[in-house]
Amino acid sequence: MSRRTRPDSTAAPTGAAGAAARCTVTVCRGCCCGTAAKVPRVDHEAQLTDLRTTLSGIATIRRTDCLDACVRANVIVIQPSAEGRKAGGRPVWLGQVNDPGAAADITAWVRAGGPGMAEPPGVLDLYAFQPSRRVRAELHDE
């Protein structure tokens, strides 16, 4: 009997429609960022549901407990797809994403390909920030 390794048929596809080809959108919701106490007048769960609905089949949406960037509430990180990373895309951290228009801009950008594949709408520059190296590294370890 051969000892050759066989391709794993359960591996995620890497084609354009496959999970590996998708951007990942990580939304901070388990700590103070996703609460009405810190950010009143924002329906945090509705925002997360809207992202999941509008990006279904296009991006992987992850909810996380805390990104440790609590100075900026309502943090969303857009990580590039494998193709986007090869094209030079890097994760983009956005804080204080409290405006429904900002969420719509994020959706449009991710639909266009996200980091490395498409230029972000200029208005997202208002939300962009760089967290510490430690915080960035922890996000990539998950």
Side-chain angles (χ1 to χ4, degrees):
M1 183 173 254
S2 173
R3 294 198 180 258
R4 278 188 297 189
T5 55
R6 296 176 193 222
D8 181 4
S9 62
T10 62
T14 56
R22 297 178 180 186
C23 291
T24 299
V25 179
T26 304
V27 182
C28 189
R29 283 295 179 265
C31 65
C32 58
C33 287
T35 66
K38 186 156 186 179
V39 186
R41 298 180 303 278
V42 173
D43 186 341
H44 299 89
E45 289 306 312
Q47 185 183 53
L48 179 60
T49 298
D50 184 50
L51 285 169
R52 283 184 170 149
T53 301
T54 59
L55 294 174
S56 177
I58 296 166
T60 300
I61 310 299
R62 293 189 319 172
R63 175 190 186 129
T64 188
D65 284 340
C66 185
L67 291 170
D68 201 18
C70 298
V71 131
R72 301 185 189 322
N74 214 13
V75 175
I76 298 175
V77 182
I78 297 89
Q79 294 172 267
S81 63
E83 291 84 4
R85 185 163 288 282
K86 286 179 189 172
R90 296 294 174 256
V92 175
W93 288 68
L94 305 170
Q96 299 170 329
V97 184
N98 304 327
D99 186 298
D105 289 332
I106 291 168
T107 297
W109 181 36
V110 171
R111 283 181 175 273
M117 301 303 287
E119 287 295 317
V123 72
L124 291 183
D125 288 345
L126 297 172
Y127 302 95
F129 72 98
Q130 285 293 321
S132 70
R133 284 186 298 237
R134 179 189 58 79
V135 170
R136 287 192 311 259
E138 287 175 4
L139 178 65
H140 297 294
D141 289 343
E142 293 181 352

